[in-house]
Amino acid sequence: MSTDTVKAVSVAPPAVKSARARRKNSYLADFGLPLAVLALIIGFAYFVTYVVLSEDRRFLLPPLHEVIRVSFLDADNRAQILEALWRTTVIAMVGLFFSVALGMVFAVVMASARWLERSLFPYAVVLQAIPILALVPLMGFWFGFGFTARVIVCVICSIFPIIANTLFGLQSVEPGHRDLFRLRGAKPGVVLSKLLIPAALPSVFTGLRISAGASVIGAIVGDTYFRQGEPGIGILIDLFRSRLQSEQLFGAIIASSLLGIVVFAFFTWLSRRLVGHWHASGRL
Amino acid sequence: MSTDTVKAVSVAPPAVKSARARRKNSYLADFGLPLAVLALIIGFAYFVTYVVLSEDRRFLLPPLHEVIRVSFLDADNRAQILEALWRTTVIAMVGLFFSVALGMVFAVVMASARWLERSLFPYAVVLQAIPILALVPLMGFWFGFGFTARVIVCVICSIFPIIANTLFGLQSVEPGHRDLFRLRGAKPGVVLSKLLIPAALPSVFTGLRISAGASVIGAIVGDTYFRQGEPGIGILIDLFRSRLQSEQLFGAIIASSLLGIVVFAFFTWLSRRLVGHWHASGRL
Amino acid sequence: MAVAIPETAAGLRFVSTGMEYPDGTVALEGVDLDVRPGQFVSVVGPSGCGKSTLLRLASRLEHHTSGEVAVDPHALAYVFQDATLLPWRSVKKNVALFCELRGDGKADIARRVQEAIDLVGLTGFENHYPHQLSGGMRMRASVARCLTVDPGVFLFDEPFGALDEISRQKLNDDLQTLFHAQKFAALFVTHSIAEAVYLSTEVVVMSGRPGRILDRVPVPFAYPRDPQIRYSEEFAHLCARVSQSLAGKEH
Amino acid sequence: MAVAIPETAAGLRFVSTGMEYPDGTVALEGVDLDVRPGQFVSVVGPSGCGKSTLLRLASRLEHHTSGEVAVDPHALAYVFQDATLLPWRSVKKNVALFCELRGDGKADIARRVQEAIDLVGLTGFENHYPHQLSGGMRMRASVARCLTVDPGVFLFDEPFGALDEISRQKLNDDLQTLFHAQKFAALFVTHSIAEAVYLSTEVVVMSGRPGRILDRVPVPFAYPRDPQIRYSEEFAHLCARVSQSLAGKEH
Amino acid sequence: ACGGGSSDAGSDGQGVQVAASAAADSASYLADACPATVVMQADWNPESEHGALYQMLGGDVKIDTDKKRVTGTLVDTEGNDTGVKLEIRAGGPAIGYDSVTNQMYTDPDIMMGYVSTDDAMIAAGTKQPVTAVVAPTEISPTSIMWDPETYPDVKTIADVKKAGIKVRYTNGLAYMDYLTSTGKLSADQVDGSYDGSPGNFVADAGKAAQQGYASAEPYLYKNEISQWGKELAYDLVANSGYQIYVQALSMPSEKVAENSACLKKLVPIIQAAQIDFLNDPADANALIVKLVEEYDTGWQYSAGVADYSVKTQKDLGIVSNGPDSTLGNMDMDRVQKLIDEMQPILSGKGVDVPADLKAEDIATNEFVDMSIGL
Ligand SMILES: Nc1ncnc2c1ncn2[C@@H]1O[C@H](COP(=O)(O)OP(=O)(O)OP(=O)(O)O)[C@@H](O)[C@H]1O
Ligand SMILES: Nc1ncnc2c1ncn2[C@@H]1O[C@H](COP(=O)(O)OP(=O)(O)OP(=O)(O)O)[C@@H](O)[C@H]1O
Ligand SMILES: Cc1ncc(C[n+]2csc(CCO)c2C)c(N)n1
Ligand SMILES: [Mg+2]
Ligand SMILES: [Mg+2]
């Protein structure tokens, strides 16, 4: 034990003003640094556009301000993109709703017995690993080529993370907590609502964060194969691509990415609200 | 406290022979019941084939024995499917490898500071929510239309669950365990290898289970857009589809689903090996 | 091995009960023990001898591998060795859990919960979450949870081990009052011999692993017991006897 | 508020230290305490008074909000109130953790680990996992982990609370021997007044929340202490004084 | 096709034999005017609609099964070596369904590619202008087809509209914008989900009509898709007034001038090759079938469909001289008419086709040998 080390760690208490300073610091970290990273990425995009790509090839990644100007400042284009985005959003949300509802039920059923897990999990994997493309005519035959089929595609794309993470959450429930309920002879429904669901919630939210993006992709994929009814952003992306409209193409991509981020952010916020007070994963 | 209740719970100890009986029972539950469920599903498929579908629509879901006969009992067809499947497997595995490696690094970086998480997570979401279709020309320009691009598509499809679940695992590390390492002034690398990774492992495996199927889908999607180099099962699916070779189409779908299940089962097995001795999620 | 369990049995009964964990650890061997309503049996024994296992068998959370166990599982309360509070529930909601499970009315729950919280001295911490409590406070919340349900069989696994002597003595007195009033069957694991003697109708001394019953020390004091009996000679005598049994000495 | 910390300080020093948790709970107020190498200071006080908080400040795992804290963070060992064993490591590997973190050689680790395991009486359970242990065994594993590292500052948070009297007395004696040999600075939280007096050079009595130092009781016995001093009159006298301070009575 | 390498077609009758070298002063000696390798980007997998290109390959072809490209000596109508190589790159799936225009603007090695008039207009509107230098195909084989059993009274696209039949087409193709904007089909009867697979058509038993190539799909559905196995009826989209030059060989407009010397000699060779192909498609068709097999991108092409394709190209005048006696030239009035009709339609869809776009901006007959014709 040397003198120096002790001197080194003689720590003055945080001064009174530090609370405000810390908050300021946290604002900086919460918003400033992420914005700095965003700026960096935008800078990189411009670098690619203007330095890496020769003029002829600039359509591969058009300048961002052009993308914004053409896609979002032009009223017609903006309306077109936002309308299509809205329709995709509806599909994605309906799909996600069913994914969450069905996925959690599926997981709860599987968690209730090992043989059920072993019997059912493989089909969940198949559902996830199956190329949707291959099922298009069959699904079209049953569900038509419109809203229903698109929602189903979205569910297929986004249900598995919910199942896997809910199941993980259910299996991670502390044995001591289970004992507590067993001891008092709690009914399965009560165990579910008062123990299993709350305990699995942080995990479920992780599943939701994965499914957020997956549902958007699912809606876009569904758009691609099932084109009856109102066109969504997937159709628009296809269209812009075949019409070589790079700016609008990237505009549509940005719009659908933002949709993914918004859904993701929503669940992050919800998770902080619901589990932040007791589980670290909720404290972003 | 009634007399009856006590009588009711007077429990004789499990007899000595019960160990073997229990094992038998568990074999039944582990293999018998899942097989029964499989039989049920096959029965349902036949029902659809022969009862729901009229004869000229039977190609939408051909009889399973025909699928097997044409796709797997015919040597040529089997060779064709297995060869393509093998190539897809290679892509899926290489892709999954990078997903796991990059995804875990990404998660560890994000877990190291809140501002990093807030700064980087949105881009992971974008990566996941972006329609790959839209990036085809840009990726083709940079990475060609072959192996590299296909692996990248596979990574894009399968990295997010790894990131999200690893991050969740890292955030769920018990504060007391962190204290243990902080107390002894452990270096970040040591904390990572001796605390964070082991503690996050059960969660990481949940991510791997999701990514197992996603990597197969990613490889098939990559096949669709990047057809230079050796063709995989995705191309075959496309081919059978365009020729309405239903039996082979379903054969190929079954083969790729089995690939998904095999990868999934491998990680389930590995998770039992690695975390089964201490975490309930590893004990399937 | 079919030992007849008397039909009139209530409370707890172990008949040459043994328990071997799947990994081969034999935790208990040939335990014969009866705890009837109105009996307060304390168990003392070396760490790892199978005391918690005994309580887990009594609660049917674990299953014995030989002999027999009979227990009235209704109205069973069990203070676990760990606090096992639900981290997403505040102290108040944690304490309310058992009442909720029983389906009590809201007002009734609120009253019982507040009484129990006041009793264990957690007043003012009703809305705190478990991670905001000290170790002893967590155990007290856990005890409070069990105090809300008027149990017929009450199992305690070192409930007051994490408490200072003063809190401990207060809770001992409160528990004794409760026992005297409700006459439940109590099985109480503790490491404090004085506590065991002060509370119990009988102290059971267990041997090291595998746990067997080494000695049974009946405690003749009548309830309610005056805290001052702790300083009586008979009390000291009983403690010494338990202590000697524990140390493996014949008496 | 810049209190000069003597440059020669080693061990631990609190200078009018206070600690308020973010939720507003004031855990400590104006604590002045010095623990030099060769001093063994026990802390007793009511549950929830801030004893664990004091140790967490001493270990720099938590930060004080007023006053000053000085500590030599090297060679710090801390037996937490919970066992905090890593569930994926066997007992042996858990006990080896601190040695591994220090980068000891394999043979050295194996030797130290076995010594520590033997000392706490877990021989035979080296390859068990934490969930296969009893509560007391887990705490002993946790103590063993800290015994492997020859600490300069040793913090204990009720290390023996979950143990029976016999194991406890044995570990008390072993710890005393260790202290006498190594002369570390020890800060020891316990609820057993006898244990505090038996082990310490000084017993510090804390008040209920917010924790302040109510009384300091120096213990004059020389080391090594004969277990028999527990039955001496002076020992009883010291215990009584601590007990009274704890009960809030002036002495 | 293993290892992703290349293989020689050999001299077993696949491809046209190289007879001799063209004299250095002959019209078909390209070495002094053209790049050492002339690279052509096709818009799809090898098919008989691309016959002219494959006809120009000598017998010494090297097939890159990895990148889906074929290279060989560029030979003239006599089979003489022109002194340069010809590389034909497969399009469609081989390039991730990217557009030929994009490919030409990304890879400067590509000299020419197949671009249809409508796509050239779109390219002009997105600042990737291309100019067609020769149009080997006179009429687009793109058709709407339907089941004559279900709809015995339907003969034309106008009837399809009248009958209100759903029409499945591939999203993004401009011809459908034309048909719907001009009221030749109604917007609510079309469905852009056609992805090349016959599954949906067969599954609803021919209730809907579907897009298809007149030179391929009728044969395929009758002979190679056993679940259908019947005749299809169809009507060319061109019959409704949508007169594009499909698969016209084009290049970025800025490159036309610098390549004019080459084009002057090369375009007549292409014209002649198309005529040679129609007269004797056997060698080129054999190569096409072989390439499809070797490329292994999931596309299938039988000798039967290749023969049917050539026959249909002749019968329907898909490959023909058109109104004049020259094969390969473009009727600039026809192009201008299409521009005038399509400009407002495309602009309405958000594609900024310049209002003053002229036929000359996207097509030129400058290099066409007016004397070459069927
Ligand atoms: N889940 C388990 N698997 C295997 N062995 C176990 C398990 N739980 C406990 N044991 C073993 O059973 C024995 C008795 O454990 P138990 O928890 O009943 O002890 P205890 O008397 O309560 O000890 P303590 O006073 O330390 O709490 C111990 O040796 C322990 O290692
Ligand atoms: N993380 C926290 N957030 C808020 N309050 C806390 C936190 N940890 C402890 N406290 C509060 O600080 C006070 C002191 O807690 P501490 O754990 O130091 O008590 P203790 O003296 O160790 O008690 P015990 O003997 O029961 O272990 C308690 O009132 C407790 O509620
Ligand atoms: C058989 C056949 N099917 C699809 C295409 C692909 N394709 C290339 S250009 C074009 C649009 C024509 O206006 C289409 C559909 C093809 N070439 N041949
Ligand atoms: Mg125990
Ligand atoms: Mg404490």
Side-chain angles (χ1 to χ4, degrees):
Chain A
M1 272 173 278
S2 75
T3 309
D4 310 61
T5 50
V6 173
K7 218 169 96 193
V9 294
S10 154
V11 180
V16 178
K17 63 165 184 174
S18 73
R20 193 184 291 168
R22 213 184 300 153
R23 197 166 331 129
K24 214 181 218 166
N25 227 315
S26 117
Y27 275 134
L28 180 70
D30 282 3
F31 299 97
L33 290 169
L35 284 177
V37 172
L38 179 65
L40 218 82
I41 286 177
I42 291 177
F44 177 72
Y46 271 106
F47 174 78
V48 170
T49 304
Y50 286 113
V51 183
V52 176
L53 296 172
S54 64
E55 207 189 319
D56 278 353
R57 287 175 186 157
R58 214 149 277 163
F59 69 90
L60 289 173
L61 188 66
L64 280 181
H65 60 270
E66 279 297 298
V67 169
I68 305 226
R69 189 181 59 74
V70 174
S71 309
F72 300 112
L73 300 185
D74 178 295
D76 283 356
N77 291 348
R78 184 180 57 227
Q80 187 186 24
I81 290 179
L82 291 187
E83 219 172 285
L85 184 68
W86 170 244
R87 293 189 195 116
T88 300
T89 309
V90 172
I91 306 264
M93 291 309 95
V94 175
L96 192 55
F97 171 81
F98 280 107
S99 285
V100 174
L102 298 176
M104 286 184 69
V105 168
F106 207 79
V108 167
V109 167
M110 286 199 293
S112 68
R114 193 176 121 123
W115 75 268
L116 277 169
E117 179 173 347
R118 291 181 64 110
S119 300
L120 297 180
F121 219 157
Y123 305 101
V125 180
V126 168
L127 204 65
Q128 186 208 20
I130 218 162
I132 286 165
L133 175 78
L135 295 184
V136 168
L138 191 61
M139 281 176 53
F141 170 69
W142 266 327
F143 309 109
F145 288 87
F147 190 79
T148 317
R150 278 192 245 175
V151 167
I152 291 175
V153 171
C154 182
V155 170
I156 290 177
C157 284
S158 62
I159 197 171
F160 194 76
I162 305 279
I163 295 179
N165 275 295
T166 306
L167 189 64
F168 175 76
L170 294 174
Q171 286 171 334
S172 306
V173 173
E174 283 186 32
H177 290 161
R178 275 181 196 277
D179 289 347
L180 211 54
F181 284 76
R182 265 214 291 158
L183 187 72
R184 301 295 307 171
K187 295 210 178 58
V190 176
V191 177
L192 192 66
S193 66
K194 295 197 191 270
L195 173 66
L196 300 180
I197 303 275
L201 219 50
S203 247
V204 172
F205 272 112
T206 303
L208 276 167
R209 289 168 148 212
I210 301 173
S211 291
S215 72
V216 174
I217 275 294
I220 290 176
V221 170
D223 244 18
T224 315
Y225 296 116
F226 301 98
R227 302 217 171 161
Q228 287 178 7
E230 310 271 83
I233 197 94
I235 294 179
L236 220 52
I237 286 174
D238 230 31
L239 207 64
F240 291 146
R241 205 174 94 87
S242 66
R243 290 200 187 135
L244 309 179
Q245 293 168 300
S246 289
E247 286 84 5
Q248 277 121 304
L249 173 63
F250 278 85
I253 294 175
I254 290 175
S256 65
S257 302
L258 283 179
L259 174 57
I261 292 186
V262 166
V263 183
F264 176 86
F266 170 74
F267 287 120
T268 303
W269 170 83
L270 197 66
S271 122
R272 181 165 49 207
R273 290 268 340 231
L274 293 185
V275 307
H277 66 280
W278 69 275
H279 195 277
S281 74
R283 287 182 215 130
L284 280 200
Chain B
M1 274 172 276
S2 75
T3 309
D4 309 63
T5 50
V6 173
K7 217 168 96 192
V9 296
S10 156
V11 181
V16 177
K17 62 166 185 176
S18 75
R20 192 185 291 166
R22 213 184 302 154
R23 198 169 327 130
K24 213 181 217 169
N25 227 314
S26 117
Y27 275 134
L28 179 71
D30 282 3
F31 299 98
L33 290 170
L35 284 177
V37 173
L38 180 65
L40 218 81
I41 286 176
I42 291 177
F44 178 72
Y46 272 108
F47 174 78
V48 171
T49 304
Y50 285 114
V51 182
V52 177
L53 295 174
S54 63
E55 206 188 318
D56 48 349
R57 280 187 183 147
R58 210 150 279 163
F59 74 92
L60 290 174
L61 187 68
L64 281 181
H65 61 271
E66 279 297 297
V67 169
I68 308 248
R69 188 181 61 72
V70 174
S71 309
F72 301 111
L73 300 185
D74 178 296
D76 283 355
N77 290 350
R78 184 179 57 228
Q80 186 187 24
I81 289 179
L82 291 185
E83 213 175 292
L85 184 67
W86 170 244
R87 298 196 191 109
T88 299
T89 309
V90 171
I91 305 264
M93 292 307 97
V94 175
L96 193 54
F97 171 82
F98 281 106
S99 283
V100 174
L102 298 177
M104 286 184 70
V105 168
F106 206 80
V108 167
V109 168
M110 285 199 294
S112 68
R114 195 175 119 125
W115 75 267
L116 277 168
E117 178 174 347
R118 292 181 63 111
S119 300
L120 297 180
F121 220 157
Y123 305 101
V125 180
V126 168
L127 204 66
Q128 186 209 21
I130 219 162
I132 286 167
L133 172 78
L135 294 184
V136 168
L138 194 62
M139 282 177 53
F141 169 67
W142 265 327
F143 309 110
F145 289 92
F147 189 81
T148 318
R150 276 191 246 176
V151 168
I152 291 175
V153 171
C154 182
V155 170
I156 290 178
C157 284
S158 62
I159 197 171
F160 193 77
I162 306 279
I163 296 178
N165 275 293
T166 308
L167 190 65
F168 176 74
L170 294 173
Q171 286 172 334
S172 306
V173 173
E174 282 187 30
H177 291 160
R178 278 181 194 278
D179 289 346
L180 212 55
F181 284 76
R182 263 212 295 157
L183 186 74
R184 302 294 306 170
K187 296 212 178 57
V190 176
V191 177
L192 192 65
S193 66
K194 294 196 193 268
L195 173 66
L196 299 181
I197 303 274
L201 218 50
S203 248
V204 173
F205 273 112
T206 302
L208 276 166
R209 288 168 149 212
I210 301 173
S211 290
S215 72
V216 174
I217 277 292
I220 291 176
V221 170
D223 247 18
T224 314
Y225 295 114
F226 300 97
R227 298 212 177 166
Q228 292 183 6
E230 309 268 270
I233 196 95
I235 290 175
L236 221 51
I237 285 174
D238 232 28
L239 165 72
F240 294 144
R241 224 166 71 83
S242 69
R243 281 301 136 93
L244 290 192
Q245 293 170 312
S246 287
E247 286 83 8
Q248 277 126 297
L249 174 62
F250 276 84
I253 293 176
I254 289 174
S256 65
S257 300
L258 283 179
L259 173 58
I261 292 185
V262 166
V263 183
F264 176 86
F266 169 75
F267 287 119
T268 302
W269 171 83
L270 196 67
S271 118
R272 181 165 49 208
R273 291 269 338 233
L274 293 184
V275 308
H277 65 281
W278 70 273
H279 196 277
S281 75
R283 285 181 216 131
L284 280 201
Chain C
M1 266 238 188
V3 178
I5 303 268
E7 301 224 342
T8 49
L12 263 173
R13 157 166 284 195
F14 295 89
V15 182
S16 60
T17 306
M19 161 76 193
E20 182 182 332
Y21 280 100
D23 67 357
T25 313
V26 180
L28 290 174
E29 225 173 64
V31 172
D32 288 297
L33 187 64
D34 244 338
V35 190
R36 303 279 125 229
Q39 286 191 310
F40 196 113
V41 176
S42 286
V43 180
V44 297
S47 167
C49 74
K51 303 179 293 299
S52 299
T53 305
L54 192 72
L55 296 200
R56 291 183 66 78
L57 293 186
S59 65
R60 317 289 327 144
L61 290 174
E62 207 85 60
H63 291 284
H64 56 296
T65 50
S66 66
E68 307 227 355
V69 178
V71 60
D72 175 3
H74 298 287
L76 189 84
Y78 185 167
V79 181
F80 294 108
Q81 193 165 3
D82 301 323
T84 37
L85 302 177
L86 302 176
W88 56 87
R89 284 182 169 232
S90 62
V91 167
K92 196 169 59 184
K93 297 284 283 171
N94 261 296
V95 174
L97 182 69
F98 285 177
C99 291
E100 284 179 25
L101 293 185
R102 199 170 50 181
D104 290 357
K106 269 202 172 165
D108 198 27
I109 294 182
R111 187 183 47 77
R112 279 168 181 270
V113 165
Q114 197 56 53
E115 269 176 30
I117 287 178
D118 293 347
L119 197 72
V120 299
L122 281 179
T123 321
F125 285 88
E126 287 86 351
N127 295 315
H128 278 59
Y129 283 87
H131 72 266
Q132 298 172 312
L133 301 183
S134 78
M137 291 161 86
R138 258 176 255 156
M139 268 319 286
R140 284 184 276 156
S142 171
V143 171
R145 181 172 56 195
C146 284
L147 292 179
T148 56
V149 290
D150 309 325
V153 175
F154 213 145
L155 310 172
F156 297 90
D157 203 344
E158 304 180 37
F160 310 134
L163 298 186
D164 57 295
E165 312 235 318
I166 293 175
S167 313
R168 191 167 187 152
Q169 280 177 23
K170 179 187 171 302
L171 283 170
N172 280 350
D173 290 336
D174 291 336
L175 179 57
Q176 212 203 92
T177 310
L178 202 69
F179 171 68
H180 184 55
Q182 305 194 348
K183 295 272 180 286
F184 45 72
L187 191 56
F188 188 96
V189 172
T190 180
H191 287 307
S192 162
I193 296 172
E195 183 175 71
V197 172
Y198 180 60
L199 288 173
S200 315
T201 54
E202 184 178 16
V203 179
V204 167
V205 180
M206 288 182 68
S207 70
R209 192 168 15 84
R212 291 170 214 248
I213 295 183
L214 271 189
D215 195 13
R216 294 158 183 274
V217 182
V219 182
F221 304 122
Y223 296 88
R225 294 177 179 174
D226 184 341
Q228 292 304 321
I229 62 162
R230 277 187 273 225
Y231 308 108
S232 72
E233 200 173 326
E234 196 176 356
F235 191 91
H237 197 76
L238 287 165
C239 288
R241 168 151 172 211
V242 172
S243 192
Q244 280 175 353
S245 293
L246 206 49
K249 293 178 201 125
E250 295 299 310
H251 46 92
Chain D
M1 266 240 191
V3 178
I5 303 266
E7 300 226 344
T8 49
L12 266 174
R13 159 165 284 196
F14 296 88
V15 182
S16 61
T17 306
M19 161 75 192
E20 182 184 332
Y21 280 99
D23 66 358
T25 312
V26 180
L28 291 173
E29 225 174 63
V31 172
D32 288 296
L33 187 64
D34 244 337
V35 189
R36 303 280 125 227
Q39 286 191 309
F40 196 112
V41 177
S42 286
V43 179
V44 297
S47 167
C49 76
K51 302 179 295 296
S52 299
T53 305
L54 192 72
L55 296 200
R56 292 184 64 80
L57 292 186
S59 64
R60 317 284 332 140
L61 291 175
E62 208 84 58
H63 291 284
H64 57 296
T65 48
S66 66
E68 306 229 356
V69 177
V71 61
D72 176 4
H74 299 285
L76 189 84
Y78 185 169
V79 180
F80 294 108
Q81 193 166 3
D82 301 323
T84 39
L85 303 176
L86 301 177
W88 56 90
R89 285 182 167 232
S90 63
V91 167
K92 196 168 62 187
K93 296 284 283 171
N94 260 297
V95 174
L97 182 71
F98 285 176
C99 292
E100 284 179 27
L101 293 184
R102 198 171 50 183
D104 290 356
K106 269 203 173 166
D108 198 27
I109 292 182
R111 186 184 48 76
R112 281 169 179 269
V113 166
Q114 197 57 54
E115 269 175 31
I117 287 178
D118 293 347
L119 197 73
V120 299
L122 282 178
T123 322
F125 285 89
E126 288 85 352
N127 295 316
H128 278 58
Y129 283 86
H131 72 267
Q132 298 172 309
L133 301 182
S134 78
M137 291 161 87
R138 260 175 254 156
M139 266 321 284
R140 283 185 275 157
S142 172
V143 171
R145 181 172 57 195
C146 282
L147 292 178
T148 56
V149 291
D150 310 325
V153 175
F154 212 145
L155 309 174
F156 297 90
D157 201 345
E158 306 180 36
F160 310 134
L163 299 186
D164 57 294
E165 311 236 316
I166 294 177
S167 313
R168 191 167 186 149
Q169 279 177 24
K170 180 187 170 303
L171 284 170
N172 280 350
D173 289 336
D174 292 336
L175 180 57
Q176 210 202 96
T177 311
L178 201 72
F179 171 67
H180 185 54
Q182 304 193 350
K183 296 271 180 286
F184 44 73
L187 191 55
F188 188 95
V189 172
T190 179
H191 286 308
S192 161
I193 297 171
E195 183 175 73
V197 173
Y198 180 60
L199 289 172
S200 318
T201 54
E202 184 179 16
V203 180
V204 167
V205 180
M206 288 182 69
S207 71
R209 191 166 17 83
R212 293 168 210 250
I213 295 183
L214 271 188
D215 194 12
R216 295 156 182 276
V217 182
V219 182
F221 305 122
Y223 295 89
R225 294 176 179 175
D226 184 342
Q228 293 304 321
I229 61 162
R230 275 187 274 225
Y231 308 109
S232 72
E233 200 174 330
E234 196 176 356
F235 190 90
H237 197 77
L238 287 167
C239 287
R241 169 154 171 208
V242 171
S243 192
Q244 280 175 352
S245 292
L246 204 49
K249 295 181 198 119
E250 293 300 310
H251 44 89
Chain E
C2 55
S6 58
S7 70
D8 292 310
S11 50
D12 54 359
Q14 308 263 319
V16 183
Q17 290 299 305
V18 182
S21 293
D25 58 351
S26 85
S28 54
Y29 183 72
L30 301 177
D32 54 357
C34 292
T37 302
V38 170
V39 180
M40 303 280 201
Q41 176 66 58
D43 62 348
W44 198 244
N45 298 285
E47 55 185 355
S48 292
E49 288 80 358
H50 302 172
L53 287 189
Y54 294 98
Q55 182 72 23
M56 289 190 291
L57 283 172
D60 58 343
V61 297
K62 270 202 161 11
I63 301 169
D64 184 341
T65 57
D66 190 29
K67 292 202 141 82
K68 322 300 176 195
R69 296 170 184 175
V70 59
T71 314
T73 305
L74 199 167
V75 298
D76 65 11
T77 178
E78 264 103 52
N80 289 334
D81 183 350
T82 57
V84 299
K85 296 273 182 202
L86 172 63
E87 176 181 313
I88 304 167
R89 298 183 179 179
I95 50 171
Y97 303 94
D98 197 9
S99 72
V100 173
T101 315
N102 275 354
Q103 286 290 308
M104 290 196 294
Y105 270 90
T106 0
D107 187 348
D109 291 346
I110 301 170
M111 187 179 179
M112 285 192 263
Y114 279 145
V115 181
S116 304
T117 313
D118 46 5
D119 291 332
M121 285 180 65
I122 290 170
T126 53
K127 302 186 187 61
Q128 289 173 283
V130 294
T131 302
V133 293
V134 56
T137 308
E138 184 69 25
I139 300 173
S140 168
T142 302
S143 327
I144 302 300
M145 46 186 216
W146 58 89
D147 174 19
E149 275 176 29
T150 312
Y151 301 110
D153 301 331
V154 174
K155 302 288 177 218
T156 64
I157 292 177
D159 298 339
V160 169
K161 173 174 186 199
K162 237 181 287 155
I165 305 170
K166 184 172 90 175
V167 180
R168 230 180 263 112
Y169 74 104
T170 303
N171 186 42
L173 296 185
Y175 81 86
M176 196 52 88
D177 294 332
Y178 172 83
L179 291 179
T180 52
S181 298
T182 55
K184 287 168 178 151
L185 285 176
S186 76
D188 53 14
Q189 77 179 136
V190 300
D191 166 6
S193 67
Y194 181 54
D195 58 358
S197 155
N200 290 334
F201 188 83
V202 178
D204 69 9
K207 238 175 75 224
Q210 186 165 285
Q211 157 191 314
Y213 262 27
S215 49
E217 265 81 358
Y219 179 89
L220 293 174
Y221 276 64
K222 182 159 194 309
N223 301 296
E224 297 187 5
I225 292 164
S226 59
Q227 288 87 347
W228 187 254
K230 299 181 282 188
E231 299 283 348
L232 286 176
Y234 61 87
D235 184 17
L236 290 174
V237 171
N239 293 342
S240 298
Y242 191 70
Q243 305 253 326
I244 57 167
Y245 284 97
V246 74
Q247 293 163 349
L249 282 168
S250 313
M251 54 172 44
S253 302
E254 70 205 18
K255 289 169 86 175
V256 174
E258 63 193 72
N259 281 295
S260 64
C262 175
L263 290 171
K264 199 85 212 151
K265 290 174 159 184
L266 179 56
V267 167
I269 294 176
I270 297 170
Q271 290 176 275
Q274 181 69 308
I275 291 167
D276 294 341
F277 175 69
L278 276 201
N279 291 335
D280 180 11
D283 285 344
N285 268 351
L287 177 63
I288 286 167
V289 169
K290 182 184 166 68
L291 287 174
V292 168
E293 199 172 292
E294 297 243 332
Y295 287 171
D296 202 11
T297 62
W299 171 247
Q300 274 189 339
Y301 209 70
S302 65
V305 68
D307 290 342
Y308 176 83
S309 174
V310 178
K311 182 175 170 300
T312 313
Q313 288 176 45
K314 280 196 272 201
D315 291 354
L316 298 184
I318 288 170
V319 176
S320 64
N321 293 343
D324 54 23
S325 58
T326 308
L327 183 143
N329 66 333
M330 288 161 279
D331 177 346
M332 299 305 268
D333 293 340
R334 174 177 147 187
V335 174
Q336 190 61 52
K337 180 165 171 281
L338 191 83
I339 292 177
D340 293 343
E341 278 180 312
M342 287 303 288
Q343 197 277 334
I345 293 174
L346 289 172
S347 296
K349 302 277 173 192
V351 186
D352 300 326
V353 180
D356 56 351
L357 187 71
K358 291 277 155 285
E360 291 70 28
D361 297 332
I362 60 170
T364 175
N365 289 321
E366 186 187 344
F367 309 106
V368 174
D369 182 342
M370 300 303 284
S371 68
I372 301 177
L374 276 170

